[in-house]
Amino acid sequence: MSELFLKTLREDPADAEVASHKLLVRAGYVRRVSPGIYSWLPLGLKVLRKVEQIVREEMDAAGAQEVLLPALLPREPYEKTNRWEEYGANLFRLQDRRQNDYLLAPTHEEMFTLAVKDMYSSYRDLPVILYQIQTKYRDEARPRAGLIRTREFLMKDAYSFDVEDAGLAHAYEVMRAAYQKIFTRLGLPFVICSATSGAMGGSRSEEFLFPCAIGEDTFVSSPGGYAANTEAVTTPELPACDFSRVPAQILVDTPEATTIEALVEVANKCCPRSDRPWEAADTLKNVALAAIHPDGEREVIVVGVPGDREVDIKRLEANMAPLELEMASTEDLEKHPELVPGYIGPEVLGPNSPARQQDENGQPVGSVRYFLDAHIAPGSAWISGGNAHEKHLFYTVYGRDFTADATVEAVVVEEGDAAPDGSGPLSIERGIEIGHIFQLGRKYSKSLDLTVLDKDGKPAVVTMGSYGIGVSRVLAALAEQNHDEKGLIWPAEIAPAAVYIIAAGKNPEVAAAAEKIAAELSARGLEVIYDDRTKVSAGVKFNDFELLGIPYGIVVGRGLAQGEVELRIRQSGASQNVAYTEICDYLCAELQN
């Protein structure tokens, strides 16, 4: 410890909000350089490399081969796959001295595709799975939670290449099983959830989530075994409503109905129903959003949702990739005078608008695109905006009085919603994404012309899978799971050392005995931290042992006079006296168990 490049802190860093961030900084594992960028110090790097090694061993065991590709990449391949623009503001772009465009890689689909194209030309060369463990870069708008959301991070990304879809399905299951082994070895609980593919593209997609209250991902599960990220939840198809007895829509004055609650109150006074009172669920809330295209263009769209539900912009965004969404601004709405804030109705939207036309390619133009949430059933009747101040339409029916450009999954998933597979009501949890696997299909191989000759000598487009693990994020997840109020508690397989030896007191015999134990355990192949510091108290040494999270501590102190040392177990907090002459044998036996 007197030589180790380490400085522990007693107070939490001011910018740290979650336990892993606080403890990794306090214990001297990492140091912040700037928002979302961290330096790895000796003990942190040891843990990171051990996590990395477990990932590597299981990938190798699954038949994958390791490579290492550059992080600084040329623009051209990303243009061919449209991701130079589709990635939007999250992509770090730069130029060299000759004004050639480059990027810092967020993922490596293009480079792996080109590597295989360069090397292979026949079906006999395939299948193959390649992987790397390498630094990635994303210009996160809001880096947070220490290592959980950063701009620079360590990732394991793997890619499978097959001629036929059956081969892709097999590779996907092989990688899925390898991920289960990796997280099981790490002792990290996980839930496998259906997910969206987003900018990655492809068909089947699943996330491995570590259930954790501070996680950014929200996922659902049902009693029958359904599990999905909320972004991937689909609403069971609703049966069409019989609207044969629904009155014709009417425009009603609704003074001061500026909220859904106020609208319901006004509706029950001025236009009461005969069967039951109007409720928030009877109102159609039309929300104006700004859809930001990859080239930066802002398009106003409107999404209709039941008045008792809220729009989930993140979920909607995931299903409308590569668009980014935010609430429409005053400036956005000023460009569309037909949209009356607070009173937007379907009559001026999408295919209902008199301004709707088609361009030379048959695409709709001239009106704001209109999307309806999947909870809006065909034939259902609503109260909606009347497109004039303090006016609402009553009994406006979807399919009779208005339609939409498309149906989308737009609302916040709520506890008790029905699982799409009929397996029961959904419960909601939060988690940290630690792995993600995709069946990419032929998106990238088509764009980059990756073909091989098949058995008949004809060109066949290769099909691909993509499989990622956030290695540095996994370390943060492990820290979230393995700590107490005193500090970190690392599992033995990834701890930076197996044992922390404390020389308690200034007696030369104590120091000599502690040093002898350290030397013998090191000779037996154990990683040892020996706290030989003479100018700090025993209390400080005990605190650092607990903060650093080393699995075992050996205290050499006053008990040495009776031929004993104290063995402390960080996980349980238990301690026991062991004969000084037997401590090395005893600890080695404990570690083997």
Side-chain angles (χ1 to χ4, degrees):
M1 282 289 283
S2 64
E3 300 172 359
L4 185 61
F5 188 60
L6 174 70
K7 182 178 181 181
T8 59
L9 305 175
R10 295 295 159 230
E11 301 296 329
D12 293 333
D15 63 330
E17 299 174 350
V18 301
S20 59
H21 188 190
K22 295 173 183 176
L23 293 174
L24 289 170
V25 172
R26 283 186 52 208
Y29 284 76
V30 299
R31 280 291 186 272
R32 179 182 179 274
V33 174
S34 68
I37 302 175
Y38 289 83
S39 296
W40 291 89
L41 303 182
L43 294 185
L45 190 59
K46 278 181 175 287
V47 178
L48 185 68
R49 292 291 179 248
K50 290 184 178 184
V51 174
E52 180 182 314
Q53 187 58 26
I54 290 173
V55 173
R56 178 176 286 111
E57 289 171 3
E58 293 300 335
M59 292 299 295
D60 291 347
Q65 301 176 58
E66 186 173 8
V67 299
L68 184 61
L69 303 183
L72 179 64
L73 304 177
R75 172 178 177 167
E76 289 76 18
Y78 281 78
E79 279 198 320
K80 290 181 178 180
T81 60
N82 294 321
R83 293 211 300 171
W84 178 261
E85 295 295 339
E86 282 184 3
Y87 238 105
N90 280 348
L91 196 65
F92 278 107
R93 298 172 176 85
L94 64 155
Q95 291 185 329
D96 67 10
R97 65 184 68 193
R98 298 178 180 84
Q99 283 72 57
N100 296 310
D101 288 320
Y102 290 83
L103 68 145
L104 295 177
T107 57
H108 273 79
E109 284 77 11
E110 287 82 354
M111 292 299 104
F112 274 87
T113 303
L114 291 174
V116 172
K117 179 181 178 180
D118 181 49
M119 299 284 287
Y120 284 168
S121 59
S122 169
Y123 75 94
R124 295 187 180 89
D125 297 321
L126 303 178
V128 66
I129 301 176
L130 304 174
Y131 79 97
Q132 65 175 348
I133 300 175
Q134 195 239 41
T135 303
K136 300 287 192 290
Y137 300 88
R138 293 178 192 169
D139 190 4
E140 293 286 352
R142 292 172 294 276
R144 63 172 294 273
L147 300 178
I148 290 174
R149 181 161 295 279
T150 57
R151 290 175 168 165
E152 178 185 88
F153 54 95
L154 189 66
M155 185 183 200
K156 188 283 302 174
D157 51 333
Y159 302 87
S160 63
F161 299 85
D162 291 89
V163 179
E164 299 176 345
D165 291 339
L168 169 59
H170 175 71
Y172 186 92
E173 293 302 328
V174 168
M175 288 293 96
R176 193 176 192 268
Y179 276 36
Q180 291 173 289
K181 292 178 181 178
I182 288 168
F183 298 127
T184 299
R185 278 186 63 182
L186 289 168
L188 197 58
F190 62 91
V191 178
I192 304 176
C193 296
S194 298
T196 57
S197 297
M200 295 284 286
S203 53
R204 188 179 178 187
S205 172
E206 290 178 297
E207 288 179 342
F208 287 71
L209 297 179
F210 162 57
C212 180
I214 61 98
E216 287 191 320
D217 283 78
T218 306
F219 69 96
V220 298
S221 58
S222 72
Y226 175 81
N229 190 301
T230 53
E231 296 168 5
V233 174
T234 56
T235 303
E237 186 174 353
L238 299 175
C241 301
D242 178 8
F243 58 86
S244 59
R245 297 185 180 181
V246 177
Q249 67 176 7
I250 57 173
L251 190 63
V252 176
D253 289 328
T254 50
E256 299 182 359
T258 55
T259 66
I260 294 297
E261 294 76 11
L263 174 59
V264 171
E265 184 177 349
V266 170
N268 283 311
K269 290 179 180 178
C270 70
C271 196
R273 294 174 59 138
S274 60
D275 54 346
R276 61 172 176 80
W278 292 104
E279 299 174 351
D282 299 314
T283 65
L284 178 60
K285 180 167 54 178
N286 292 306
V287 180
L289 299 170
I292 305 169
H293 292 255
D295 61 2
E297 177 192 354
R298 293 177 71 89
E299 175 196 4
V300 174
I301 64 172
V302 173
V303 179
V305 302
D308 63 338
R309 305 293 287 255
E310 297 297 327
V311 172
D312 185 338
I313 289 182
K314 184 178 178 183
R315 183 179 179 216
L316 185 59
E317 194 174 63
N319 288 280
M320 297 184 74
L323 298 179
E324 295 183 5
L325 301 174
E326 62 185 34
M327 297 301 294
S329 66
T330 302
E331 291 76 14
D332 292 322
L333 294 177
E334 286 175 349
K335 298 175 183 177
H336 295 275
E338 74 275 22
L339 303 182
V340 181
Y343 299 93
I344 299 173
E347 288 185 319
V348 300
L349 301 171
N352 314 296
S353 170
R356 172 60 63 91
Q357 299 176 0
Q358 289 186 340
D359 64 16
E360 63 274 10
N361 299 315
Q363 297 300 311
V365 294
S367 67
V368 172
R369 287 196 292 165
Y370 187 38
F371 301 89
L372 285 178
D373 177 68
H375 289 84
I376 311 296
S380 55
W382 302 88
I383 302 174
S384 189
N387 303 303
H389 186 63
E390 294 192 339
K391 293 185 183 294
H392 281 85
L393 280 171
F394 281 61
Y395 302 109
T396 185
V397 174
Y398 173 37
R400 184 190 73 178
D401 303 313
F402 70 92
T403 58
D405 288 297
T407 298
V408 293
E409 297 290 347
V411 300
V412 175
V413 177
E414 294 182 353
E415 192 91 16
D417 281 353
D421 63 354
S423 58
L426 297 176
S427 59
I428 299 178
E429 297 182 62
R430 299 195 69 80
I432 297 172
E433 181 188 337
I434 50 178
H436 204 154
I437 56 179
F438 304 83
Q439 287 189 8
L440 291 177
R442 294 175 172 83
K443 171 182 176 178
Y444 295 92
S445 48
K446 280 183 178 178
S447 299
L448 297 169
D449 194 28
L450 171 57
T451 62
V452 295
L453 296 180
D454 64 15
K455 294 178 182 179
D456 299 322
K458 297 179 180 179
V461 180
V462 171
T463 185
M464 295 170 56
S466 174
Y467 319 94
I469 290 178
V471 178
S472 49
R473 180 181 285 186
V474 164
L475 186 148
L478 285 163
E480 284 292 331
Q481 185 196 17
N482 297 288
H483 72 272
D484 60 16
E485 70 282 358
K486 297 177 180 177
L488 298 160
I489 308 174
W490 294 118
E493 196 164 9
I494 63 166
V499 59
Y500 188 101
I501 300 173
I502 296 172
K506 298 181 180 180
N507 187 328
E509 293 180 1
V510 166
E515 192 165 343
K516 183 178 180 181
I517 294 171
E520 184 173 343
L521 290 174
S522 294
R524 295 191 186 197
L526 298 187
E527 291 177 289
V528 178
I529 294 178
Y530 169 38
D531 198 336
D532 61 334
R533 294 174 293 178
T534 58
K535 295 184 179 180
V536 300
S537 67
V540 170
K541 296 181 180 182
F542 294 146
N543 288 339
D544 280 344
F545 160 63
E546 291 168 335
L547 177 61
L548 295 178
I550 311 303
Y552 292 93
I554 296 175
V555 182
V556 184
R558 285 178 288 186
L560 186 63
Q562 287 78 45
E564 292 181 334
V565 296
E566 181 187 359
L567 178 65
R568 296 189 174 190
I569 302 172
R570 180 69 182 94
Q571 177 70 51
S572 65
S575 65
Q576 64 185 97
N577 291 331
V578 179
Y580 165 66
T581 56
E582 299 173 5
I583 185 61
C584 293
D585 290 335
Y586 186 90
L587 182 58
C588 289
E590 281 286 309
L591 288 167
Q592 288 178 353
N593 294 332

